[in-house]
Amino acid sequence: MEDRPYIAFRRRVKEAGPLWVILILSACVRLYYSYHPLISDEVFNLVTIERLARGEDSGEYFFRHPPLYLFSSLLGYSVLGNYPQIPSYISIIFSVLSLVPLYRITKQLFDKNAALWASVFLSVMPVNIAYSSWIKQDAMLLFFFLWGLYFYLSERYLRAGTAIGIALLVKEFALFLFPLAFLITALAKREEGSDRCKFKWAGWLQMAVVAFIISSWWYLLFGTAFYQVTGDALIGGNISELRWHFPAWFYIKNVPYDLSYPILILFLIGVVFLIKEIYHRSIFSKYMIPILWILVFYLPLSFITVKAPW
């Protein structure tokens, strides 16, 4: 009896062994590709971080997105010194660690083997490698977003709201979890009973309230840039960019380069099997969630001309 906790601990360590290998290899790949020419947004973020580190005025660009990534980089400066690589390394750390919630989500929906393969594919996906070392908010956003989705699927709604509230303080795109979670709940099996459905809707509301409490202060006090860009996107204020972006076509033609051709082939095969499983099982099942993920993100973004490449 006394050695059971030890045996359970050893079993968990053994089961996590392959994931640790993936995490280490993922970190090595990202560090190797971390030295790259900076794009304009990275330069603006780096200048803002260094201004804050010197105690100067933050500047207008500080308010372009919520501040958590910039403050995390500033903390790194205060601990390690004024090194411009620190914000990039912070992105790499969160990019690597985002494989953990991805693994848990996939294991919960499918099985351990699928979770390991999903982690491998994300760790070597060209677009993820490219974004993972950017001096931008995206890697940190993905980490908290995936934890929010994992907790929501696990029906731990307070934790889901906390994770998404933090994600909303990283970047506005965390808002996409709310329609995703809404569709997951709305399409859930009715056979679970009315009481069960009420519990899940109450959980969605609980998540939203917690996220609002954590993050609303930024959007109420400093969200002018967010409202302006969102308004331009929704009312066509930047419709002149349509000729340049062609958002829907932009995403489609870049998929082979974003995923790589081997992963793209496996992705298309996976979509076929997902649709097959959904057809044979029910209108909604756990297999529907990856399809909903694609629809919630790519359909709206394909009609928004502002910042289409991201």
Side-chain angles (χ1 to χ4, degrees):
M1 293 292 290
E2 292 179 356
D3 62 348
R4 284 185 180 178
Y6 173 70
I7 293 173
F9 175 75
R10 286 185 58 188
R11 186 184 300 113
R12 287 195 294 270
V13 171
K14 185 177 180 180
E15 290 178 353
L19 180 60
W20 276 108
V21 173
I22 295 170
L23 292 174
I24 293 171
L25 292 177
S26 176
C28 293
V29 170
R30 280 150 178 75
L31 286 171
Y32 179 81
Y33 286 102
S34 63
Y35 294 93
H36 61 277
L38 301 181
I39 65 170
S40 59
D41 284 356
E42 290 184 281
V43 173
F44 288 135
N45 276 330
L46 186 58
V47 169
T48 301
I49 294 165
E50 293 186 346
R51 287 173 64 115
L52 291 171
R54 293 194 298 265
E56 300 176 4
D57 179 73
S58 59
E60 181 182 353
Y61 200 83
F62 174 81
F63 300 97
R64 185 64 60 91
H65 295 294
L68 189 56
Y69 174 75
L70 298 179
F71 282 154
S72 298
S73 300
L74 180 62
L75 178 62
Y77 270 51
S78 64
V79 173
L80 301 175
N82 191 352
Y83 299 107
Q85 299 91 343
I86 289 175
S88 178
Y89 291 160
I90 289 175
S91 292
I92 291 173
I93 291 170
F94 279 99
S95 176
V96 172
L97 292 180
S98 66
L99 296 174
V100 176
L102 174 75
Y103 173 86
R104 293 196 174 194
I105 290 169
T106 314
K107 184 178 179 182
Q108 181 174 340
L109 294 178
F110 303 101
D111 56 40
K112 179 183 175 182
N113 287 332
L116 287 173
W117 281 113
S119 303
V120 169
F121 293 149
L122 184 62
S123 66
V124 299
M125 196 180 295
V127 69
N128 188 263
I129 292 174
Y131 291 169
S132 65
S133 61
W134 276 15
I135 303 175
K136 283 176 66 67
Q137 293 83 358
D138 301 87
M140 182 183 286
L141 169 68
L142 181 64
F143 173 79
F144 287 109
F145 187 96
L146 287 174
W147 275 117
L149 180 59
Y150 170 70
F151 288 134
Y152 189 83
L153 294 175
S154 304
E155 299 183 357
R156 288 180 273 183
Y157 300 115
L158 288 176
R159 294 186 182 185
T162 301
I164 291 304
I166 296 173
L168 284 167
L169 290 177
V170 177
K171 199 170 184 178
E172 306 84 354
F173 273 82
L175 288 168
F176 278 95
L177 183 70
F178 296 108
L180 177 60
F182 182 90
L183 290 175
I184 290 171
T185 304
L187 297 176
K189 291 181 178 179
R190 295 292 181 181
E191 297 83 48
E192 293 182 349
S194 59
D195 290 340
R196 186 67 176 162
C197 288
K198 289 179 180 178
F199 170 77
K200 290 191 173 183
W201 281 118
W204 186 92
L205 183 61
Q206 188 180 70
M207 175 196 68
V209 170
V210 172
F212 177 83
I213 292 172
I214 292 174
S215 63
S216 60
W217 62 271
W218 170 263
Y219 295 91
L220 293 175
L221 298 176
F222 308 105
T224 303
F226 164 69
Y227 296 126
Q228 181 178 351
V229 172
T230 303
D232 288 341
L234 294 177
I235 67 176
N238 295 65
I239 199 66
S240 61
E241 294 186 2
L242 183 61
R243 292 190 300 274
W244 172 48
H245 284 315
F246 290 105
W249 177 240
F250 181 92
Y251 291 118
I252 293 172
K253 73 182 179 65
N254 279 281
V255 165
Y257 310 104
D258 290 343
L259 302 184
S260 77
Y261 282 101
I263 296 178
L264 173 61
I265 293 171
L266 293 172
F267 169 75
L268 294 175
I269 294 172
V271 169
V272 171
F273 276 96
L274 281 175
I275 295 173
K276 178 184 175 183
E277 290 291 340
I278 294 168
Y279 175 79
H280 285 295
R281 291 176 181 268
S282 63
I283 296 176
F284 175 82
S285 70
K286 63 183 181 180
Y287 300 103
M288 189 71 184
I289 293 174
I291 303 295
L292 291 177
W293 175 291
I294 295 171
L295 294 177
V296 164
F297 276 96
Y298 288 100
L299 282 183
L301 290 177
S302 292
F303 294 99
I304 295 177
T305 60
V306 178
K307 289 274 195 170
W310 316 139

